[in-house]
Amino acid sequence: MRSELLAAAACIGVTVGTVKHFDSHGQAPAREAAEAAIEQNSVIAAATANAQGSKSNGAYYGREVRLAAGPNHQYFVTAAINSRPASFLVDTGASFVALRDSDARKANIYVSWSDYKHAVRTANGETKAALIDIDRIEIDGIRVENVKAFILPDEQLGVNLLGMSFLSKLESVEQRGGELVLKG
């Protein structure tokens, strides 16, 4: 579990660092910077799971969501976190979902300063993140329960990241013809 946390922290740190770099150098607006943060060659492999095993992990099947690629071939989506909407960059390189503190609070997820104990490196240096379980994340009828996530201070995370702790519980995730297809 510790190695998974370190790998997740590194993935989030690289993504956040890239977003901060582009944003601070005025090379792209915040949304375009976030899109540029994850390269086209990110692993967008099928996150297939045994349907029976995934259902026991809290995934509900029967829906398909298609996300159009942004200008830098990145995918953004609005997801409901405990029934509260939040914008996300789909990031198959992130082991866990990463949520800005302000969006966590909007979803009635509160952490104390003592919960920020997992080291994460960002463009602003090293910071701490809180590891939590989100009750449910929903995208157009695809619902996943009990999703591991990091919460980071707003100034350290420019955009929420929808990582593999959510995506791996879906039936599949695949890129087809300029779209990302989520099946759940």
Side-chain angles (χ1 to χ4, degrees):
M1 180 66 167
R2 182 179 171 108
S3 62
E4 288 175 343
L5 292 175
L6 292 173
C11 289
I12 290 169
V14 168
T15 301
V16 170
T18 305
V19 170
K20 292 279 188 182
H21 172 77
F22 279 106
D23 195 37
S24 68
H25 286 81
Q27 294 178 6
R31 183 175 174 102
E32 288 178 2
E35 291 171 356
I38 311 300
E39 296 179 11
Q40 172 64 21
N41 293 332
S42 300
V43 179
I44 302 182
T48 55
N50 173 314
Q52 196 68 345
S54 293
K55 283 183 183 179
S56 66
N57 287 330
Y60 292 81
Y61 293 103
R63 296 277 184 172
E64 180 176 284
V65 175
R66 294 176 176 269
L67 305 175
N72 291 320
H73 307 288
Q74 301 307 310
Y75 303 93
F76 286 87
V77 65
T78 298
I81 306 298
N82 297 338
S83 302
R84 299 287 200 280
S87 296
F88 284 87
L89 169 66
V90 178
D91 184 356
T92 58
S95 297
F96 295 103
V97 168
L99 193 59
R100 293 168 47 93
D101 181 64
S102 61
D103 288 317
R105 283 183 275 124
K106 289 176 189 172
N108 293 320
I109 300 169
Y110 299 94
V111 295
S112 68
W113 287 112
S114 64
D115 294 325
Y116 286 87
K117 56 187 168 191
H118 301 281
V120 178
R121 182 169 298 282
T122 71
N124 292 333
E126 191 171 292
T127 189
K128 301 287 184 173
L131 182 64
I132 55 117
D133 286 311
I134 296 174
D135 291 336
R136 70 185 171 282
I137 299 176
E138 199 165 349
I139 301 172
D140 292 334
I142 296 175
R143 182 174 66 186
V144 177
E145 296 176 342
N146 302 317
V147 179
K148 291 261 184 234
F150 277 123
I151 296 177
L152 283 93
D154 286 3
E155 61 274 6
Q156 298 295 333
L157 185 63
V159 62
N160 296 315
L161 304 174
L162 193 62
M164 293 305 293
S165 60
F166 172 84
L167 298 170
S168 68
K169 291 185 177 186
L170 300 179
E171 185 178 333
S172 67
V173 177
E174 54 187 285
Q175 185 177 13
R176 282 191 250 148
E179 291 183 321
L180 188 66
V181 181
L182 308 177
K183 287 185 182 179

